[in-house]
Each structure stands twice: as structure tokens, then as C-alpha cells.
Amino acid sequence: MSKLLTRTLAALALCLAAPLASAALVTYTVQGGFTGAATGDAAIAAALDPLLAGQSLSLTVTLDTAAAGSAAPGGFTLYGAVTASTASFAGFDSTSGGCPSASDFICKVAVHDGVGGFLDPDQLHIFPAIAHADALDAAAGLGRVLELQFLMFFADPAGLALADDGLGFDLSGLNPARFTGQLAVFASGTSLGDPFDRADFAFDISRITTGDAQAQALPEPGSLALGLLALAGVRRCLPTTLRSST
């Protein structure tokens, strides 16, 4: 084999390996339970709250800690870092949809290293992919397709939890009591004025551990409707500082 061919093959191997080397994937398992607090669309809340209240949940989320970030309002840095997710809750298993590139609030992580105090705490927001559970649709009895997103928000008023605005944090090392969880449930709207109805169900986080071999890679978005759902509905749950960018 000639030296030129050998060098060419070596260079090709390096190019192919570079994307793999640049991805630093970390998977977390999040455990908790629904509190019974429900807000939003009355019909969705009434149908789902009896199924969810007091029930446990287990989530996994895989983050690419090498993902590139961009500045967002409120001093946040936004990363397209979520690469995989699963959810088992109240006896239901969900399947995750894709990641619409147009949305800042699906498959994203927002980080803010605050100076401390209630006016500028450390903050971490995790926006997994939209998910769906056929069994939940059937149990709800609404005759509607329900889309789900398990949102997680962390805040540390002391300003000591995060070292910077990067992705170098360890979720399993953060105080779970500082997290608030919110299951956002969307359905096609029943009125002309609002294309989507939404209800939110609060959950507590009791434990976060590292590693889960069952995390599933997220597929490409299956339809334009998924992206429209993200843009129209998810922004309602956001703090004003982030919401103003949509």
C-alpha cells in the first residue's frame, strides 16, 4: 500500500471519528411522583388528574454535553442538548417524538449561572421531546390524541449550584428539592380561537441518578403538526425572560 493511500485512509478515519469524539453523552434517570395539582384546560385536567395524582414516574434524559450554545433572553444560554428520552408514569409508557429545529423549547436545555438571591438564582431548565402514550389516550376517555412533555426546572437562590453557563453540571449532584416538575399535556383545540388546549400536572423530583441503558434515541419529527404544537403551546409554561424570544 502506498504512503499516499495510507495517509488518505488515515485522514478519512479521523474525519469519521471526529463527530463521535465530540459528543459527550450523559444519561440521567429522574424519579418522582405527581402531587395532584392540576391547572389549565378543565376537561383534560378532570380526565387525567384521577389517573396521575399520587402516582410515581421515572424519566430518563440523555444530554450531549458537547452541544453548542447560543445566547437567550434573561441571561440564559440555550443548548440543543437532549438526544434521547423515555418516560414511565402512573402505569403508562410513552414514546418520544422528534426534535423540531424551529423550536427553542423542545430537546433543549437552558442554563443561567446567577449571582445569587431570589432576583438572580442559578437556573436550569430541561425541555425534553414531545411524547405520546396510546394507553393514556384510551384511559382518559376524551377521544383525543394527547401530546406530553415532562418539563423540569431547577433554581438555587444561593447561586452556588452552577459554576458557569455551560453543560458541565452533574444533575445527580443537584438538590432534587430545588427542582419543580410539570407534565404539559396538549390536545387539538376545541375552539376556533385556540388551536391547542393544554393542562399541566405538577410532579416532585425525589432522586436523580446517572446512567440508564434503556434510553432511546429520538427519531426525526414525524409531522409538521409536532413542530406547530411546540411553537404554539410549549411557550406558555416558560418564565417571561425566556418566553419573550419566541
Side-chain angles (χ1 to χ4, degrees):
M1 184 180 295
S2 69
K3 290 184 179 180
L4 177 60
L5 180 58
T6 300
R7 291 173 180 174
T8 301
L9 292 176
L12 178 61
L14 288 174
C15 290
L16 293 174
L20 297 177
S22 65
L25 303 181
V26 181
T27 298
Y28 297 97
T29 297
V30 179
Q31 295 174 312
F34 290 97
T35 67
T39 58
D41 183 82
I44 298 176
L48 294 188
D49 196 45
L51 301 174
L52 302 179
Q55 299 297 310
S56 62
L57 60 83
S58 179
L59 314 173
T60 68
V61 58
T62 299
L63 305 181
D64 178 5
T65 61
S70 59
F76 283 84
T77 302
L78 193 65
Y79 300 88
V82 178
T83 64
S85 62
T86 65
S88 297
F89 61 102
F92 302 100
D93 293 318
S94 68
T95 56
S96 293
C99 298
S101 59
S103 174
D104 285 343
F105 304 107
I106 295 182
C107 301
K108 298 297 193 296
V109 176
V111 184
H112 173 65
D113 177 24
V115 299
F118 285 96
L119 294 179
D120 191 24
D122 283 356
Q123 296 182 71
L124 175 63
H125 301 167
I126 301 176
F127 307 98
I130 299 293
H132 178 251
D134 289 332
L136 182 65
D137 288 354
L142 295 171
R144 305 168 71 183
V145 175
L146 304 175
E147 304 291 353
L148 319 171
Q149 191 179 31
F150 292 85
L151 307 166
M152 291 172 277
F153 304 99
F154 172 85
D156 176 32
L160 301 176
L162 303 177
D164 52 39
D165 290 336
L167 294 173
F169 54 81
D170 176 6
L171 281 185
S172 64
L174 300 180
N175 183 355
R178 293 291 183 188
F179 280 88
T180 57
Q182 183 176 314
L183 168 57
V185 179
F186 306 92
S188 296
T190 56
S191 65
L192 295 178
D194 194 344
F196 297 98
D197 293 331
R198 171 178 175 169
D200 296 286
F201 303 85
F203 62 86
D204 290 332
I205 293 175
S206 58
R207 186 184 182 197
I208 302 175
T209 55
T210 304
D212 190 315
Q214 300 300 316
Q216 64 184 58
L218 295 175
E220 292 298 318
S223 68
L224 178 61
L226 181 61
L228 294 177
L229 172 63
L231 294 174
V234 174
R235 70 187 302 273
R236 298 182 196 171
C237 72
L238 303 173
T240 303
T241 52
L242 274 175
R243 187 186 308 146
S244 61
S245 68
T246 62

